[in-house]
Amino acid sequence: MVKLTPPMGWNSWNTFGENINEKLIMETADAMAASGLVEKGYEYLVIDDCWSLKERDGEGRLVADPEKFPNGMKAVADYVHGKGLKFGMYSCAGTLTCAGYPGSFEHEFVDAETFARWGVDFLKYDYCYHSPIIHGKYLYRRMGLALENCGRDILFSACSWGADETHEWIKETGASMWRSTGDIFDTWESVKNLAKQQEKLHPYNGVGCFNDMDMLIVGMYGKGNVGLSGCNDVQYKTHFSLWALLGSPLMIGCDVRSMNEETKAILGNEEIIRINQDAACRQPVRLSGIWGGEDLLIYSRQLGNGELAIGLFNLRESAENLKFNLDELGLGYSTGKTLEMHEVWGGETFKVVNSTVARRLEPFACEVFRARVVDL
């Protein structure tokens, strides 16, 4: 599958871990449809690890745990499809999955055929318990080839955590997205660390194979499988804005059955989603800014219609001033041009004067703009 914009959806791992079952998945599909998430673009519902029995059947095939999924995966997939969603599942390039269930090593083609028969549209493919002898690029090539010959269009989500220099070879495998970082946790430090890890990998993001900064923690509030200390709504908004502007897939990780209004507003901001889903999928650029610092991030990304997406992110615990000059965007005084800036969270619109943008942001806060070039 060639994916033209970053995939969007929901994954069970962040909140539920091993505690998944048929009822949960069907209720989640109901909630995604009823809440409007499907209309916003969140099209994949993905079951993560811990869905199978601990052993394959006599034909060497994976078997869904009959206690968790009594009607089998085909019935679950049919229900999910009936809600206007696409259905995703999980496997691993090793002998075992990360939680100790059968992996797909040396079973790639039979597993791909099984997933196709069940109606799977998305495969998250992890990297635990993999061979210490066979390089990861060969393992991911195997599954990529198996999926492309299984008779069904299945999105290949490679989850090798950026290990073994994944960025150098992942586009050889047929993957549509690849995990460029380690796992996310529901803490502010985790958000900061993953955002900073991504900077050197921006050149490898693009149409067909997107850098996956891991699933979203928006709306978790410290609950669930990766809950830990949790974040507040300001931090969740900044987290979501960073992932969107940097072009990461947007895979929800909270319990969508019980989202509060603030979580719905963050995940459903159509202007932020439009930036993430911009058809050009161009590389973001880190601006130097004026008197900036390590935890003061300014990013710009040229959109397909001539506009710019510009994000200012204060990752510090204190209010800070973030400033940059339009020269960094190619708009010096000699051009006779400036920017009209529209902030997509608060709605403020203004014209930049004196070729300089200066904004004061509260702790952990962000501002994201759609900016269009106008005459001075």
Side-chain angles (χ1 to χ4, degrees):
M1 172 183 284
V2 178
K3 191 68 177 169
L4 300 181
T5 58
M8 297 173 60
W10 176 89
N11 181 289
S12 62
W13 184 255
N14 279 4
T15 293
F16 299 102
E18 66 179 356
N19 299 312
I20 52 174
N21 56 56
E22 181 179 289
K23 181 174 181 289
L24 167 67
I25 299 306
M26 290 181 174
E27 288 178 353
T28 298
D30 292 341
M32 291 182 72
S35 65
L37 288 173
V38 178
E39 287 75 15
K40 300 286 187 179
Y42 296 97
E43 60 177 338
Y44 291 100
L45 187 159
V46 182
I47 298 174
D48 211 283
D49 204 350
C50 310
W51 59 266
S52 76
L53 291 178
K54 288 293 183 76
E55 294 186 16
R56 293 174 178 268
D57 67 13
E59 297 180 346
R61 293 185 179 275
L62 294 168
V63 180
D65 185 331
E67 292 189 7
K68 293 180 176 180
F69 300 96
N71 294 298
M73 284 303 180
K74 180 65 167 63
V76 176
D78 288 346
Y79 189 90
V80 170
H81 291 151
K83 294 295 178 176
L85 290 154
K86 295 179 180 178
F87 180 57
M89 292 190 68
Y90 167 100
S91 190
C92 187
T95 53
L96 297 174
T97 70
C98 296
Y101 293 79
S104 289
F105 179 63
E106 301 289 13
H107 293 83
E108 290 86 359
F109 279 83
V110 68
D111 286 357
E113 291 169 4
T114 298
F115 296 139
R117 190 173 72 247
W118 287 344
V120 171
D121 306 295
F122 180 115
L123 180 66
K124 177 182 173 182
Y125 203 54
D126 225 329
Y127 202 41
C128 291
Y129 296 99
H130 60 85
S131 169
I133 298 171
I134 304 173
H135 194 283
K137 62 185 176 183
Y138 301 113
L139 302 177
Y140 280 90
R141 283 181 196 172
R142 282 188 194 179
M143 183 52 85
L145 196 59
L147 290 174
E148 292 191 344
N149 286 275
C150 72
R152 186 174 178 83
D153 203 6
I154 299 178
L155 187 152
F156 187 20
S157 173
C159 184
S160 63
W161 332 308
D164 298 330
E165 305 299 328
T166 305
H167 60 281
E168 295 182 355
W169 49 264
I170 193 60
K171 290 184 180 179
E172 305 167 1
T173 69
S176 292
M177 54 190 276
W178 65 284
R179 271 283 296 283
S180 54
T181 66
D183 288 358
I184 196 169
F185 296 93
D186 188 15
T187 70
W188 180 240
E189 283 305 313
S190 181
V191 170
K192 286 175 58 176
N193 290 339
L194 296 190
K196 291 177 181 179
Q197 288 175 31
Q198 194 68 16
E199 185 171 350
K200 64 181 181 298
L201 298 172
H202 293 321
Y204 300 94
N205 200 5
V207 173
C209 193
F210 296 96
N211 295 10
D212 176 14
M213 297 168 66
D214 204 6
M215 297 163 287
L216 299 166
I217 56 169
V218 176
M220 289 189 63
Y221 301 109
K223 301 175 183 177
N225 189 46
V226 302
L228 300 185
S229 62
C231 296
N232 61 42
D233 288 329
V234 173
Q235 293 167 331
Y236 284 141
K237 185 167 74 171
T238 295
H239 157 51
F240 184 69
S241 299
L242 271 165
W243 265 234
L245 182 58
L246 298 184
S248 175
L250 301 177
M251 301 297 291
I252 299 169
C254 70
D255 186 348
V256 296
R257 301 172 303 171
S258 57
M259 294 184 294
N260 63 24
E261 292 305 312
E262 186 63 27
T263 296
K264 291 178 184 178
I266 293 171
L267 294 174
N269 186 303
E270 294 183 0
E271 292 196 84
I272 291 285
I273 293 172
R274 279 177 56 211
I275 290 170
N276 178 258
Q277 296 290 299
D278 185 72
C281 296
R282 292 187 175 124
Q283 178 182 334
V285 177
R286 172 90 183 268
L287 303 185
S288 299
I290 301 170
W291 303 321
E294 181 182 357
D295 289 336
L296 304 178
L297 306 183
I298 304 175
Y299 272 103
S300 173
R301 178 173 153 196
Q302 191 167 327
L303 303 176
N305 63 352
E307 293 182 344
L308 295 168
I310 300 173
L312 284 68
F313 304 94
N314 177 17
L315 307 186
R316 295 180 179 173
E317 298 180 2
S318 57
E320 300 288 346
N321 296 311
L322 282 78
K323 306 173 184 179
F324 67 93
N325 192 289
L326 297 192
D327 277 341
E328 284 203 76
L329 303 174
L331 287 177
Y333 275 121
S334 62
T335 65
K337 305 292 182 180
T338 188
L339 291 178
E340 182 181 85
M341 309 266 286
H342 171 70
E343 209 281 308
V344 303
W345 287 108
E348 179 186 1
T349 299
F350 61 90
K351 186 175 180 180
V352 177
V353 297
N354 299 322
S355 196
T356 303
V357 175
R359 307 290 289 180
R360 185 164 180 82
L361 272 63
E362 294 302 309
F364 316 120
C366 72
E367 290 186 334
V368 180
F369 300 90
R370 289 188 74 98
R372 65 186 188 93
V373 177
V374 295
D375 293 333
L376 282 171

